[in-house]
Amino acid sequence: MIPDTTPAELEQALADAGGAAAALAASAPSVRAGWIRAVADALDAAVDELVPIAQRETSLPEPRLRGEVARSTGQLRLFADVLEEGSLLEVVIDTANPEGKPVPIPDLRRVLVPLGPVLVFAASNFPFAFSVCGGDTASALAAGCPVVVKAHPGHPELSVKTAEVMIEALRAAGAPAGTFGLVQGYDVGVAALKDPRITAAGFTGSVPAGKALHEIAVTRPEPIPFYGELGSLNPVFVTQAAVDARGNDIATGYVGSFTLGVGQFCTKPGLLFLPAGHGLTDQLVEATGGVAAAKMLNDRIADGFSSGLDRLRKVEGVRVLGEGGGATLLGTTVTELLARREEILEECFGPVSIVVEYASTDELLAAVAAFEGNLTATLHAEESADAELASKVLPLLTERAGRVLWNGWPTGVAVSWAQHHGGPFPSTVGSIHTSVGVTAARRFQRPVAYQDTPDALLPAVLQDANPAGISRRVNGTVTTAEVSR
Amino acid sequence: MIPDTTPAELEQALADAGGAAAALAASAPSVRAGWIRAVADALDAAVDELVPIAQRETSLPEPRLRGEVARSTGQLRLFADVLEEGSLLEVVIDTANPEGKPVPIPDLRRVLVPLGPVLVFAASNFPFAFSVCGGDTASALAAGCPVVVKAHPGHPELSVKTAEVMIEALRAAGAPAGTFGLVQGYDVGVAALKDPRITAAGFTGSVPAGKALHEIAVTRPEPIPFYGELGSLNPVFVTQAAVDARGNDIATGYVGSFTLGVGQFCTKPGLLFLPAGHGLTDQLVEATGGVAAAKMLNDRIADGFSSGLDRLRKVEGVRVLGEGGGATLLGTTVTELLARREEILEECFGPVSIVVEYASTDELLAAVAAFEGNLTATLHAEESADAELASKVLPLLTERAGRVLWNGWPTGVAVSWAQHHGGPFPSTVGSIHTSVGVTAARRFQRPVAYQDTPDALLPAVLQDANPAGISRRVNGTVTTAEVSR
């Protein structure tokens, strides 16, 4: 049992983070890259120690957890690479034009600087990738912000051990004390969120908790940005042509996706829209029945799933298509869904999903339009047969989701330059930013433009000679060349 | 007298904006560039009609207003250029890697899409550049968002006429009806801000109004981003070496800057820090006395200035150094400022500024540290003599401002790639975004990543062939080349 952080300990953590902010802001991006790689190396080296704790605390299987460590350390290394490449700083240089009309144009050099200490509310369902050493932490460190993580109570010992590994790696690599800290307890997290030293917060969790914390962050005397990933239904729409071409693959792929990780993915497909008369019910039911029972992350989540499932079963027009020890498949129609939209479209976190039959293309389009914001939305279709339909559906999905998939499954989020994890409200608060991928760092940076400042007094990344050789936009064109003036 | 927009008219304006959103989102960037250029051309063509109305309603002089029209239309054309260059869309393409470990990597293509209708609260002090046809409008249209402007009551007839010119230009250029609209009245603006069809808001104005509107925007059932520019003191710090080298120029430059446009710039230098014994008082007083009286923007602003000035005069430790018909110069010391920080550091909008004397380098640094967020902060120093001092002061200014100037004056904001207008709270709400410069559009865009989508069904800007030849990041490298897969 890990006790809550005491007020004195919280004060120390915030003072340490605040004290480290200026040194982090002044650190060269390549130096920060070194610290971040040291953290990645240390976590990889500790994997045999960390994974068994995670198994015990979250009931997730070993291969999944080892994969998650690799994903997390890969993410840290990607940010280190991008720090060295330079894009993360978005350096823009416009040299002076003394002949400018109506007035001379000054020399302006813009760079993104860190906001300051960032508070991260860790998630339960990815004890590495969206927790202590996850994407919010990686992107904030890359931005040059000290990080204070509020541990998720679902894996307290893992959180402490992960933090120890990270803090020791940062210390050994020469990062300032206070670069990273960990606190425990919900009230402690709220107190930290209200503290003026905290300049931004990231959150992954439930809609009610996310909304409550968001309101605290944005109504403080000094409001701060709050990036919350709150929940998502991730609907999948399947055309008749896709059923004809690949019905069996779709049925097994769907069941595999919604039951992956015991249905505890924020990208779990919560609804599958099939044309009436699709003929896949037997196969869907069989695949669902074959899913083995597995323990959920913790008792609270298991209880939440149990009551959510009970609620859904009782919604008028929703029936059980099939269930086994490890999963439940429900069924309804678009007519029923449109009649009881709020009841049917309430997320149930766990291994359950709903097959919804549509009777016509118009019903399919009406179903798409019934959705609010989601992390993902998927279309299974055939390119030639469905070209016209797809050209109608894809823009509607684009309006409602942050990632639009074609003939795929939304579980699994590769970390890359082009990745985006986030979507219109309520799937995220702050839909203009991503929580996964390179630009996640931008959530914790603000621009500063230096006007006519002598070269020697500029941050090195803005100096004419471009000593680090990073990518910069100079007079409108991206280049690694030095500036001549 | 222009009456407030009626509820029925507001409903029509919001319905029109909502109705235009999908067509704008689907429009090719080059087509939007054409619409925006048409607006710029129409405004330039109407300058002889618009400027006299602006003169009558704002009391600003003709040359300034003509310059402001040119600045506004130049800003519109810059956004058109950048739309064609492509950076505004931030296209990122990672091609698939079927051999990816632990799982194959899908093809991911990311682009920024418009949020939807944007509400713009126009400012009083720049009736063109930060009003109906200003930066918020230009950047939102470039992003592909319909715009509804809430007119500032300080120049109602100009607002109506400007909107007429813009609406007709957009119509003639083929933009969807509803691309741009104008509403009048504070309560109308609040009602619009609460409407679910509005997806983001921009604001330039006072701290109390900005805070109130911000709270409405972020506590709606569906919170939306609110970008507010609220106020700024724009302190200027002068070293002894700079006084020795250029004292006279600094004195006249300062008085020119704080009285420019009757002191009605958000970048007006509100305080000038000089070393005790600077010997510039006579010259400062003389320059201030020589400023001619000029009418302020409107009676409400004149009244606000009058009472603000009365308040400042009565603050203990603040004395009048000099005044003439058109400007007032106050004086105090760092000791007094630190003792009565809140009273002295309250913005007074108009032609007044405070000279603050510091007795030592430590006092100078303490004065810098006394400031909260500002749009700008300026250091006047000599590069060789002040190298060590400047290396201490510049990072402190960077922490507190969005633009850091060397040996210049903060009034005047060039529109360019590298420009940034915004700073830490309370100068702006949303300090990670800029309201001037190319990336201002990003405030009204969100990312969408398309996964494994057939080329022909992707937005043209994401297609392999790159038909528009825009700048894109492909597998980590910025290029205009086509994608081979």
Side-chain angles (χ1 to χ4, degrees), chain A residues 225-285:
Chain A
F226 179 89
Y227 308 101
E229 190 211 304
L230 309 190
S232 185
L233 294 163
N234 308 299
V236 178
F237 303 91
V238 185
T239 67
Q240 183 62 53
V243 170
D244 295 343
R246 308 173 273 113
N248 290 351
D249 290 348
I250 289 171
T252 52
Y254 166 59
V255 175
S257 184
F258 91 75
T259 61
L260 190 70
V262 205
Q264 299 167 127
F265 275 46
C266 45
T267 52
K268 178 196 85 174
L271 302 102
L272 181 77
F273 290 81
L274 287 171
H278 51 78
L280 299 176
T281 303
D282 287 352
Q283 198 176 342
L284 288 164
V285 169

Side-chain angles (χ1 to χ4, degrees), chain B residues 353-368:
Chain B
S353 191
I354 310 174
V355 171
V356 188
E357 293 188 353
Y358 61 88
S360 65
T361 301
D362 283 350
E363 274 204 359
L364 173 62
L365 294 172
V368 173

Side-chain angles (χ1 to χ4, degrees), chain A residues 22 85 87 90 92-94 105-106 108-110 113 115 214-215 218-219 221-223 227 383 387 390-391 394 398-406 409 414 416-420 424-425 431-434 439 442-443 445-454 456-457 473 476 478, chain B residues 22 85 87 90 92-94 105-106 108-110 113 115 214-215 218-219 221-223 227 383 387 390-391 394 398-406 409 414 416-420 424-425 431-434 439 442-443 445-454 456-457 473 476 478:
Chain A
E85 189 264 357
S87 301
E90 286 194 4
V92 185
I93 296 174
D94 293 334
I105 307 291
L108 280 171
R109 301 182 183 220
R110 180 189 200 264
V113 302
L115 287 181
H214 169 254
E215 183 147 332
V218 295
T219 59
E222 178 173 359
Y227 308 101
E383 186 176 352
S391 71
L394 290 174
T398 300
E399 286 176 18
R400 289 166 176 78
R403 184 160 52 110
V404 175
L405 295 90
W406 175 272
W409 300 105
S416 73
W417 281 90
Q419 188 55 280
H420 173 48
F425 190 84
S431 72
I432 70 173
H433 294 281
T434 189
T439 55
R442 204 185 272 168
R443 300 176 296 164
Q445 299 172 294
R446 65 179 175 87
V448 171
Y450 292 90
Q451 182 168 325
D452 287 336
T453 307
L457 290 169
R473 184 178 292 273
V478 176
Chain B
E85 189 263 357
S87 301
E90 286 194 5
V92 185
I93 297 174
D94 293 335
I105 306 291
L108 280 171
R109 300 182 183 222
R110 180 188 200 263
V113 301
L115 287 181
H214 169 254
E215 183 146 332
V218 296
T219 60
E222 177 173 1
Y227 308 102
E383 186 176 352
S391 71
L394 289 174
T398 300
E399 286 176 17
R400 288 165 176 78
R403 183 159 53 110
V404 175
L405 295 91
W406 176 272
W409 301 104
S416 73
W417 280 92
Q419 187 54 280
H420 173 49
F425 190 85
S431 72
I432 69 172
H433 294 281
T434 187
T439 55
R442 204 184 272 169
R443 300 176 297 163
Q445 298 172 295
R446 65 179 175 87
V448 171
Y450 292 89
Q451 182 168 326
D452 287 336
T453 307
L457 291 169
R473 183 178 293 273
V478 177

